[in-house]
Amino acid sequence: MADTDWYEAVEGSELLQGDILPQCPIVTILEPMSWPILPEARFSVGITTRDLVVMTQSCDLANDKTEEILLAQLVSWSQSVRNETNQGNAFIQSVQFRKQLIAGNVPGLSLLHKRTAEPALPWSVVDFHHLYSLPKEFLQKAAAALGVRLRLRSPYREHLAQAFARYFMRVGLPHDARVFEKEGDVKP
């Protein structure tokens, strides 16, 4: 399978789930503020850019059922390894971690295949720990200004959506079943 099979190159303002929006502006509040926020309150904001992937379902976008679009951060694999290693997670460098990532067994991350053709994309992960919501109209203008950009093809876009659903629907159980790991083998 060619690495280009995962993606199609698109142009224009149309947005679908799985669209990649490189260097998208994100507004963040810089100053702590008191609560409640009064109408006359003033505070500082900062603008940063992030590589993002559209997570809102395509049918909601096409049928104007949302004015806000949910996005997840896209991080190159090499940057993800640097970030996690700097935070003390050496396991991310292991073959076992990569196998788990390929199998979809790392909650919060979804692997995207590299693309060598233009526009190129290195091996990357969609990081569901970093989500953003931006106005649809703003993102349509940003997408149009990008020129040629990438869009995940089916079934890779649905695979990404399924990974997000698995992450989002996790249930934290009130008991610890890890003691099961130490149980002896059952003899037939």
Side-chain angles (χ1 to χ4, degrees):
M1 170 185 301
D3 61 29
T4 55
D5 291 346
W6 277 53
Y7 308 96
E8 62 181 308
V10 297
E11 290 185 73
S13 63
E14 179 190 43
L15 292 169
L16 297 178
Q17 184 179 57
D19 278 13
I20 297 173
L21 303 173
Q23 297 300 300
C24 188
I26 302 293
V27 177
T28 55
I29 298 172
L30 298 177
E31 285 183 8
M33 61 186 109
S34 60
W35 196 259
I37 300 174
L38 302 173
E40 66 275 1
R42 301 213 182 265
F43 48 90
S44 297
V45 296
I47 298 177
T48 57
T49 59
R50 302 272 189 272
D51 294 340
L52 302 174
V53 178
V54 173
M55 298 306 302
T56 300
Q57 291 186 350
S58 296
C59 59
D60 289 340
L61 295 168
N63 293 310
D64 290 323
K65 292 190 176 186
T66 183
E67 293 179 14
E68 296 280 322
I69 295 179
L70 182 64
L71 305 129
Q73 188 170 348
L74 178 66
V75 183
S76 72
W77 173 245
S78 59
Q79 184 62 51
S80 186
V81 169
R82 279 192 297 276
N83 292 347
E84 289 295 316
T85 302
N86 289 340
Q87 294 178 10
N89 179 7
F91 182 61
I92 195 169
Q93 298 176 19
S94 70
V95 172
Q96 293 87 356
F97 185 90
R98 288 193 301 278
K99 286 180 180 180
Q100 288 181 8
L101 187 60
I102 291 166
N105 294 330
V106 180
L109 298 178
S110 185
L111 181 66
L112 293 189
H113 203 290
K114 71 177 179 178
R115 176 184 158 105
T116 54
E118 288 299 322
L121 182 73
W123 285 104
S124 300
V125 292
V126 180
D127 186 346
F128 303 134
H129 300 105
H130 299 278
L131 300 174
Y132 304 92
S133 178
L134 292 171
K136 181 179 178 183
E137 187 176 331
F138 169 80
L139 286 174
Q140 287 172 322
K141 290 177 183 176
L146 284 171
V148 179
R149 57 191 169 80
L150 294 177
R151 171 177 291 157
L152 279 170
R153 288 185 173 159
S154 185
Y156 307 106
R157 133 180 9 136
E158 292 82 6
H159 180 74
L160 175 65
Q162 183 182 39
F164 180 64
R166 280 193 312 269
Y167 171 71
F168 199 73
M169 66 181 239
R170 292 173 303 145
V171 176
L173 298 175
H175 63 82
D176 186 3
R178 291 182 189 253
V179 295
F180 182 72
E181 293 174 358
K182 296 177 183 159
E183 293 290 323
D185 290 337
V186 176
K187 306 286 185 206

